[in-house]
Amino acid sequence: MIDLEPFHKIAVLAAKRGGRILKEGLRQEITVSYKGALDIVTNIDTRSEKAIVALISRHFPDHRIMAEEGSGRKGRSPYQWIIDPLDGTTNFSHRFPFFCVSIALEVKGRVRLGVIYDPVRRELFTAEKGKGAFLNGSPIQTSSVKELYKSLLVTGFSYDIQTDPKNTFDHFINFTLNAQAVRRTGSAALDLCYVAAGRFDGFWETKLRPWDTAAGSLILCEAGGRITDFSGKPYSIYGDEILGTNRKIHKEMVQILNKKNT
Ligand code: IPD
Ligand code: CA
Ligand code: CA
């Protein structure tokens, strides 16, 4: 087994550095550019990404980097960092304080380390493969809720929601009718951490990208949760569907996701 400690330390430093930039950015001018009709990037996303990538590159110059806003690096290293410098950009651009930095490390194609930092609440979620999940250093675990009707669920919508006829409104309706309640927070990375910490019981979404889910999916698995696609098959951060739960309501959620509305 590789010792992840040196990588873990730098990932935490980088997440906190990015987080500081986001928190300061809330009080500064935010400029918005459009990547698509709804998909935006701000000057602060870019600033955070540059700082994170610079720090990681200084310590691990050979490692590959996949970063949402494009300052990544290809190569042959078995190590790849997967970075979302600001998850929750739409929230951030409205100064709605729910967003985070997400950093994961893949080794030979497997996510081994995940670090997510919410600078507003100063909450640091971390996990190393096989070693459990932590919030500010204390172990966390998923909730004990066993029935869907008692569950608090969370989801998000992809940026092409207004144009894709296969949007996920049916799922939203079905879960709203079968769970205790459904929320939409605007940060998939924090959604996964909140399921890991037992604050939500289940999360589903489509069309997320590796930087949205790499760190959060490891944190959730390490907290005792279960992650699959919508049919219950193994999850990949490169896949199209994610269902992450406290394990206990997983089957019921798969059933709802496969329900055909007439
Ligand atoms: C988005 C957030 C949101 C999810 C979107 C993501 P971004 O990431 O995670 O919760 O619903 O699908 O793209 O653009 O804020 O980094
Ligand atoms: Ca994201
Ligand atoms: Ca982002």
Side-chain angles (χ1 to χ4, degrees):
M1 266 228 306
I2 8 159
D3 176 17
L4 292 165
E5 191 47 36
F7 310 124
H8 192 137
K9 254 179 145 167
I10 299 303
V12 169
L13 258 182
K16 289 200 169 165
R17 191 162 295 182
R20 194 172 336 121
I21 290 169
L22 304 188
K23 201 162 171 209
E24 286 167 6
L26 269 187
R27 294 191 300 271
Q28 298 167 357
E29 190 191 357
I30 300 173
T31 55
V32 172
S33 321
Y34 284 81
K35 300 197 266 187
L38 299 176
D39 192 1
I40 58 169
V41 56
T42 74
N43 54 328
I44 311 295
D45 295 54
T46 319
R47 198 179 295 165
S48 169
E49 182 166 304
K50 283 201 172 125
I52 294 167
V53 169
L55 182 69
I56 291 176
S57 303
R58 183 144 31 88
H59 288 270
F60 310 112
D62 303 334
H63 290 188
R64 289 179 290 137
I65 295 179
M66 181 199 284
E68 179 175 12
E69 308 310 339
S71 48
R73 190 175 47 232
K74 294 197 163 57
R76 289 175 158 203
S77 169
Y79 294 90
Q80 170 161 262
W81 294 88
I82 304 177
I83 299 163
D84 192 335
L86 165 42
D87 187 60
T89 297
T90 305
N91 289 346
F92 183 85
S93 71
H94 290 265
R95 300 183 204 271
F96 176 65
F98 198 81
F99 50 80
C100 64
V101 173
S102 174
I103 300 178
L105 178 65
E106 241 184 17
V107 187
K108 294 185 186 156
R110 290 185 165 196
V111 180
R112 296 286 176 189
L113 168 69
V115 171
I116 291 179
Y117 185 52
D118 167 355
V120 174
R121 291 161 198 80
R122 293 197 189 141
E123 289 193 325
L124 179 74
F125 297 90
T126 54
E128 283 182 25
K129 180 83 187 150
K131 292 196 174 167
F134 298 84
L135 166 52
N136 293 340
S138 301
I140 49 173
Q141 57 188 35
T142 49
S143 72
S144 56
V145 174
K146 287 189 191 62
E147 294 103 349
L148 188 61
Y149 79 95
K150 288 184 181 165
S151 299
L152 183 61
L153 306 181
V154 64
T155 190
F157 298 105
S158 60
Y159 287 119
D160 62 0
I161 184 86
Q162 294 171 341
T163 50
D164 182 2
K166 275 184 22 229
N167 62 48
T168 54
F169 286 132
D170 277 358
H171 299 323
F172 191 83
I173 293 168
N174 292 337
F175 281 123
T176 304
L177 293 174
N178 286 279
Q180 184 177 32
V182 180
R183 302 287 180 252
R184 195 282 198 241
T185 71
S187 167
L190 283 178
D191 292 343
L192 286 162
C193 291
Y194 276 35
V195 181
R199 296 170 180 174
F200 288 129
D201 308 302
F203 164 71
W204 84 96
E205 191 162 343
T206 58
K207 297 186 190 164
L208 288 170
R209 306 300 304 276
W211 44 78
D212 298 313
T213 60
S217 56
L218 179 68
I219 291 166
L220 175 51
C221 286
E222 288 298 318
R226 179 164 177 216
I227 307 204
T228 67
D229 69 6
F230 288 179
S231 52
K233 296 207 190 79
Y235 171 69
S236 158
I237 58 168
Y238 300 98
D240 231 24
E241 300 171 345
I242 181 166
L243 169 64
T245 69
N246 66 357
R247 208 168 264 278
K248 300 171 183 77
I249 59 163
H250 206 88
K251 240 174 144 179
E252 266 195 280
M253 284 194 75
V254 168
Q255 274 162 12
I256 298 276
L257 287 166
N258 289 286
K259 185 173 165 198
K260 297 271 169 286
N261 287 18
T262 47

